[in-house]
Amino acid sequence: MIRVLVVGLGQMGQSHALAYATDPAFDVVGLVNRSDVALPDALAHLPIERDFDVALARLNPDMVAIATYSDSHADLAIKAMQAGAHVFVEKPLATTVADCERVAQVAQDTGRKLMVGHILRHHPTWQALIAEARALRGPYVFRLNLNQRSTGPAWEIHKALMQSTPPIVDCGVHYVDVMCQITDAAPVEVRGMGLRLSNEIAPEMYNYGHFQVLFEDGSCGWYEAGWGPMMSETAHFVKDVVSPGGAVSLRAPIGVGSADVEGHTAADQLIVAPTGQGETLRDFAHSPGHQGLCDRQAAAMARAITEDHDLSRHVSDAVRSVAICLAADESVRSGQPVRLKP
């Protein structure tokens, strides 16, 4: 069994811990969080430790799962790998490209497995969207968004996240990863805009933004993300890929609110419309929900460790996604397009 230490017990951390607790490949040996939190029954027998360094040294886990705030990901991941543990880390991998590259280098130097929480890679409907879009051939137009009308506890979570990371970076890494998987072309330029729509966040932060990314093959992508009680529930779910060969779209499930965690990944229908051939509807009624996706991700991590999978391409893709989203943030703040390194 893979002895795993889980660090960070917010919404995602608890979901990952539950996935490990119910997978016979894992043994959850410890939990780390800065404060006490209510735990589900499957985890309630485990004490919550405060100090990561102490827990890492005492428990000597085979793997560390990191679900803390983004600005701590790099240092925690590096400490874990240097202590001999494989690492699963929630997205984004880090909050600077330099830190992403530093983590990737340590993974290479230590030979430890490093997996980033790009959960859509494990979703059958999104996998089908990528395959269908690639079959249409590019160049592509990508139209993707994830707006969330967050209130109450959800808004408090978002405000905490925005102490270090704007919405277009936090969520954007998922969707630019999808763009890059479809086009396989290098991104060359990013243009972004954003606006601060609440006095409850820092003056230098913005809770709404969108950006365009241009690719070497001529493809272009649009991504939009906004958080807060002022956001509209209308058109909060847009997932379209268009090419000369036609279009592929995901349809949002009826009745799922924009801030509902199930709505972030939910997609039960895929519409394929090759140019001049009408539409074909593919149903994915039994697609996994949020916890099911965390379970799939855990199983993929177990296979990577036990079967010695090469995750170097996965890690380089995660670094690229962060680079694109950080370039978008730079463009928002400077008001200028940002060219990306070849």
Side-chain angles (χ1 to χ4, degrees):
M1 293 175 67
I2 300 166
R3 301 174 65 257
V4 58
L5 172 66
V6 180
V7 188
L9 295 173
Q11 187 176 69
M12 290 306 301
Q14 290 198 32
S15 293
H16 293 311
L18 282 171
Y20 305 133
T22 56
D23 188 324
F26 294 96
D27 177 21
V28 181
V29 296
L31 305 173
V32 177
N33 202 60
R34 292 184 298 184
S35 59
D36 286 328
V37 293
L39 294 174
D41 291 344
L43 304 172
H45 65 287
L46 293 165
I48 298 174
E49 306 200 36
R50 298 286 186 269
D51 192 307
F52 170 71
D53 294 335
V54 171
L56 180 65
R58 182 175 65 81
L59 295 169
N60 190 28
D62 303 313
M63 173 186 150
V64 173
I66 300 166
T68 53
Y69 288 122
S70 303
D71 54 358
S72 65
H73 287 179
D75 288 342
L76 293 175
I78 287 171
K79 284 182 179 180
M81 289 186 288
Q82 289 177 338
H86 303 290
V87 166
F88 171 86
V89 58
E90 255 305 326
K91 55 78 191 166
L93 176 56
T95 53
T96 69
V97 174
D99 275 349
C100 286
E101 292 173 342
R102 190 162 58 97
V103 177
Q105 187 63 52
V106 172
Q108 182 177 324
D109 292 345
T110 60
R112 299 296 84 191
K113 302 302 179 188
L114 173 64
M115 181 178 287
V116 184
H118 284 200
I119 203 165
L120 297 182
R121 287 186 169 225
H122 306 275
H123 197 302
T125 319
W126 282 90
Q127 291 168 343
L129 176 137
I130 291 168
E132 293 282 5
R134 286 179 62 86
L136 293 175
R137 305 180 68 84
Y140 299 97
V141 172
F142 304 105
R143 302 175 60 245
L144 304 168
N145 76 351
L146 183 63
N147 293 320
Q148 298 177 54
R149 179 187 285 173
S150 54
T151 58
W155 178 226
E156 294 304 315
I157 290 171
H158 281 155
K159 285 190 289 186
L161 286 170
M162 284 186 287
Q163 291 177 22
S164 62
T165 311
I168 58 171
V169 176
D170 181 81
C171 298
V173 291
H174 285 308
Y175 299 100
V176 296
D177 183 54
V178 169
M179 295 180 196
C180 291
Q181 287 182 73
I182 292 172
T183 179
D184 254 345
V188 295
E189 185 175 292
V190 181
R191 305 165 182 172
M193 288 181 279
L195 196 63
R196 178 176 179 263
L197 297 173
S198 172
N199 291 329
E200 296 180 56
I201 61 176
E204 67 276 8
M205 183 53 72
Y206 54 99
N207 63 307
Y208 170 82
H210 66 254
F211 62 84
Q212 295 78 43
V213 54
L214 308 179
F215 293 88
E216 203 168 46
D217 68 345
S219 296
C220 62
W222 164 80
Y223 177 69
E224 174 190 62
W227 292 341
M230 73 296 296
M231 295 305 301
S232 170
E233 288 283 355
T234 304
H236 70 269
F237 186 102
V238 177
K239 309 288 190 288
D240 289 333
V241 182
V242 182
S243 83
V248 186
S249 307
L250 293 182
R251 179 171 292 170
I254 296 173
V256 178
S258 65
D260 187 334
V261 67
E262 294 294 342
H264 301 174
T265 56
D268 53 10
Q269 291 184 326
L270 183 68
I271 303 167
V272 184
T275 301
Q277 297 182 38
E279 292 186 348
T280 300
L281 183 64
R282 292 179 58 185
D283 285 312
F284 291 80
H286 302 294
S287 281
H290 171 75
Q291 186 60 52
L293 286 172
C294 290
D295 296 346
R296 285 177 174 235
Q297 200 162 229
M301 185 67 182
R303 291 192 298 271
I305 293 171
T306 59
E307 300 172 12
D308 193 24
H309 292 179
D310 182 358
L311 298 181
S312 56
R313 171 63 189 270
H314 166 77
V315 173
S316 64
D317 286 350
V319 174
R320 176 186 58 187
S321 296
V322 171
I324 292 171
C325 291
L326 289 178
D329 179 56
E330 180 183 343
S331 180
V332 169
R333 296 176 188 281
S334 70
Q336 299 296 321
V338 175
R339 297 289 296 181
L340 295 167
K341 295 178 182 179

